[in-house]
């Protein structure tokens, strides 16, 4: 317990950093993921090509490499932002590719007649997608989206290697202070467990309320 009690503020700072990183990156991933899913099913060919390219590139790029590209590449184009913001961009964009595929699979479960009925009422594609298709698709994709965001929370540990305050990075100063490596990582693991269980509980509530009965 000494590792935790004597360094509670350090653990707390890292824990809050991971929570903030997870929340902001999740919001970005959800927004981009839904947008790209819309692109992938759009009747406009260039949008479908862009959405497909986005998913293909990001799903097949190692997250660490994407962090390097964002952290080192964007400043070369004059975009200088805090490391935390760069980490949110890297995590959010990477995860959005997986959110996109989950949402697209949900869209494919909606009967074609739903879209045809909406178009017969004079609704255009964005209206049909936003008002008719996505609300129904959302009910079927709650579990996979929850799993993806749990993976995002764990992937946020990479940000600590790029000067971003997060939970895993607390092991460095604790190691320098001579604390046991085993107990240092035990409390770090407990912190990640709390975050992932909280996300799991949230999506369990959403699934019970809006999910499709199985």
């Amino acid at each position: 317990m000494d590792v935790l009690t004597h360094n509670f503020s350090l653990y707390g700072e890292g824990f809050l950093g991971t929570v903030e990183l997870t929340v902001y990156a999740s919001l970005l991933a959800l927004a981009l993921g839904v947008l790209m899913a819309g692109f992938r099913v759009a009747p406009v060919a260039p949008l479908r090509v862009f959405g497909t390219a986005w998913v293909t590139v990001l799903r097949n790029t190692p997250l660490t490499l994407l962090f390097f590209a964002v952290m080192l590449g964007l400043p070369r184009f004059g975009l200088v932002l805090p490391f935390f913001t760069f980490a949110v961009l890297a995590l959010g964009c990477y995860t959005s590719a997986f959110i996109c595929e989950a949402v697209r699979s949900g869209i494919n479960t909606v009967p074609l007649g739903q879209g045809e009925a909406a178009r017969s009422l004079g609704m255009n594609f964005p209206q049909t997608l936003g008002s008719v298709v996505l609300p129904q698709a959302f009910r079927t994709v709650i579990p996979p989206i929850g799993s993806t965001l749990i993976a995002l929370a764990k992937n946020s540990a990479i940000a600590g290697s790029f000067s971003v305050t997060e939970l895993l990075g607390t092991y460095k100063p604790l190691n320098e202070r001579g604390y046991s490596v085993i107990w240092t990582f035990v409390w770090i693991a407990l912190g990640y467990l709390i975050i992932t269980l909280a996300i799991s509980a949230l999506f369990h509530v959403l699934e019970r309320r809006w999910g499709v009965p199985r």
Side-chain angles (χ1 to χ4, degrees), residues 71 81-88 162-164:
M71 296 283 189
L81 298 171
F83 284 163
F84 179 85
T85 304
F86 279 140
V88 168
F162 296 88
S163 303
V164 177

mmCIF file of all heavy atoms in Angstrom, residues 71 81-88 162-164:
data_model
loop_
_atom_site.group_PDB
_atom_site.id
_atom_site.type_symbol
_atom_site.label_atom_id
_atom_site.label_comp_id
_atom_site.label_asym_id
_atom_site.label_seq_id
_atom_site.Cartn_x
_atom_site.Cartn_y
_atom_site.Cartn_z
ATOM 1 N N MET A 71 2.612 13.415 -34.049
ATOM 2 C CA MET A 71 3.467 14.213 -33.171
ATOM 3 C C MET A 71 4.613 14.902 -33.922
ATOM 4 O O MET A 71 4.972 16.044 -33.631
ATOM 5 C CB MET A 71 4.049 13.328 -32.065
ATOM 6 C CG MET A 71 3.030 12.731 -31.125
ATOM 7 S SD MET A 71 2.432 13.948 -29.941
ATOM 8 C CE MET A 71 1.487 12.889 -28.836
ATOM 9 N N LEU A 81 0.492 22.049 -31.697
ATOM 10 C CA LEU A 81 -0.523 21.924 -30.661
ATOM 11 C C LEU A 81 0.078 21.243 -29.438
ATOM 12 O O LEU A 81 1.152 20.638 -29.532
ATOM 13 C CB LEU A 81 -1.708 21.095 -31.185
ATOM 14 C CG LEU A 81 -2.477 21.658 -32.388
ATOM 15 C CD1 LEU A 81 -3.466 20.618 -32.916
ATOM 16 C CD2 LEU A 81 -3.208 22.937 -32.019
ATOM 17 N N PRO A 82 -0.594 21.323 -28.292
ATOM 18 C CA PRO A 82 -0.096 20.580 -27.118
ATOM 19 C C PRO A 82 -0.042 19.077 -27.406
ATOM 20 O O PRO A 82 -0.839 18.554 -28.186
ATOM 21 C CB PRO A 82 -1.153 20.903 -26.041
ATOM 22 C CG PRO A 82 -1.773 22.189 -26.479
ATOM 23 C CD PRO A 82 -1.772 22.153 -27.983
ATOM 24 N N PHE A 83 0.881 18.393 -26.745
ATOM 25 C CA PHE A 83 1.019 16.953 -26.953
ATOM 26 C C PHE A 83 -0.276 16.215 -26.628
ATOM 27 O O PHE A 83 -0.613 15.214 -27.252
ATOM 28 C CB PHE A 83 2.163 16.402 -26.095
ATOM 29 C CG PHE A 83 3.530 16.722 -26.640
ATOM 30 C CD1 PHE A 83 4.655 16.616 -25.836
ATOM 31 C CD2 PHE A 83 3.683 17.116 -27.958
ATOM 32 C CE1 PHE A 83 5.921 16.907 -26.341
ATOM 33 C CE2 PHE A 83 4.939 17.405 -28.478
ATOM 34 C CZ PHE A 83 6.052 17.299 -27.667
ATOM 35 N N PHE A 84 -1.014 16.713 -25.627
ATOM 36 C CA PHE A 84 -2.280 16.080 -25.273
ATOM 37 C C PHE A 84 -3.246 16.104 -26.448
ATOM 38 O O PHE A 84 -3.910 15.107 -26.752
ATOM 39 C CB PHE A 84 -2.901 16.783 -24.064
ATOM 40 C CG PHE A 84 -4.225 16.207 -23.641
ATOM 41 C CD1 PHE A 84 -4.275 15.116 -22.791
ATOM 42 C CD2 PHE A 84 -5.418 16.755 -24.102
ATOM 43 C CE1 PHE A 84 -5.503 14.581 -22.402
ATOM 44 C CE2 PHE A 84 -6.636 16.219 -23.725
ATOM 45 C CZ PHE A 84 -6.683 15.132 -22.869
ATOM 46 N N THR A 85 -3.320 17.242 -27.135
ATOM 47 C CA THR A 85 -4.214 17.373 -28.288
ATOM 48 C C THR A 85 -3.776 16.447 -29.418
ATOM 49 O O THR A 85 -4.611 15.813 -30.073
ATOM 50 C CB THR A 85 -4.238 18.826 -28.787
ATOM 51 O OG1 THR A 85 -4.603 19.695 -27.704
ATOM 52 C CG2 THR A 85 -5.245 18.999 -29.921
ATOM 53 N N PHE A 86 -2.478 16.373 -29.648
ATOM 54 C CA PHE A 86 -1.967 15.447 -30.666
ATOM 55 C C PHE A 86 -2.341 14.001 -30.321
ATOM 56 O O PHE A 86 -2.703 13.207 -31.207
ATOM 57 C CB PHE A 86 -0.450 15.570 -30.781
ATOM 58 C CG PHE A 86 0.004 16.734 -31.617
ATOM 59 C CD1 PHE A 86 1.107 17.497 -31.237
ATOM 60 C CD2 PHE A 86 -0.650 17.077 -32.788
ATOM 61 C CE1 PHE A 86 1.539 18.570 -32.011
ATOM 62 C CE2 PHE A 86 -0.227 18.142 -33.574
ATOM 63 C CZ PHE A 86 0.868 18.888 -33.182
ATOM 64 N N ALA A 87 -2.244 13.651 -29.035
ATOM 65 C CA ALA A 87 -2.581 12.290 -28.611
ATOM 66 C C ALA A 87 -4.065 12.003 -28.837
ATOM 67 O O ALA A 87 -4.435 10.911 -29.273
ATOM 68 C CB ALA A 87 -2.226 12.095 -27.137
ATOM 69 N N VAL A 88 -4.921 12.986 -28.558
ATOM 70 C CA VAL A 88 -6.359 12.820 -28.797
ATOM 71 C C VAL A 88 -6.619 12.611 -30.283
ATOM 72 O O VAL A 88 -7.421 11.748 -30.675
ATOM 73 C CB VAL A 88 -7.133 14.045 -28.276
ATOM 74 C CG1 VAL A 88 -8.585 14.017 -28.773
ATOM 75 C CG2 VAL A 88 -7.105 14.094 -26.753
ATOM 76 N N PHE A 162 4.981 9.858 -25.251
ATOM 77 C CA PHE A 162 5.088 11.105 -26.010
ATOM 78 C C PHE A 162 4.788 12.316 -25.128
ATOM 79 O O PHE A 162 4.126 13.270 -25.542
ATOM 80 C CB PHE A 162 4.124 11.066 -27.206
ATOM 81 C CG PHE A 162 4.456 10.004 -28.212
ATOM 82 C CD1 PHE A 162 3.939 8.723 -28.076
ATOM 83 C CD2 PHE A 162 5.310 10.275 -29.272
ATOM 84 C CE1 PHE A 162 4.242 7.731 -29.002
ATOM 85 C CE2 PHE A 162 5.619 9.288 -30.197
ATOM 86 C CZ PHE A 162 5.084 8.018 -30.065
ATOM 87 N N SER A 163 5.280 12.249 -23.888
ATOM 88 C CA SER A 163 5.199 13.374 -22.940
ATOM 89 C C SER A 163 3.776 13.772 -22.594
ATOM 90 O O SER A 163 3.504 14.946 -22.322
ATOM 91 C CB SER A 163 5.960 14.590 -23.499
ATOM 92 O OG SER A 163 7.298 14.266 -23.762
ATOM 93 N N VAL A 164 2.857 12.819 -22.626
ATOM 94 C CA VAL A 164 1.478 13.075 -22.220
ATOM 95 C C VAL A 164 1.254 12.432 -20.860
ATOM 96 O O VAL A 164 1.612 11.271 -20.648
ATOM 97 C CB VAL A 164 0.472 12.502 -23.250
ATOM 98 C CG1 VAL A 164 -0.964 12.713 -22.770
ATOM 99 C CG2 VAL A 164 0.678 13.155 -24.604
#
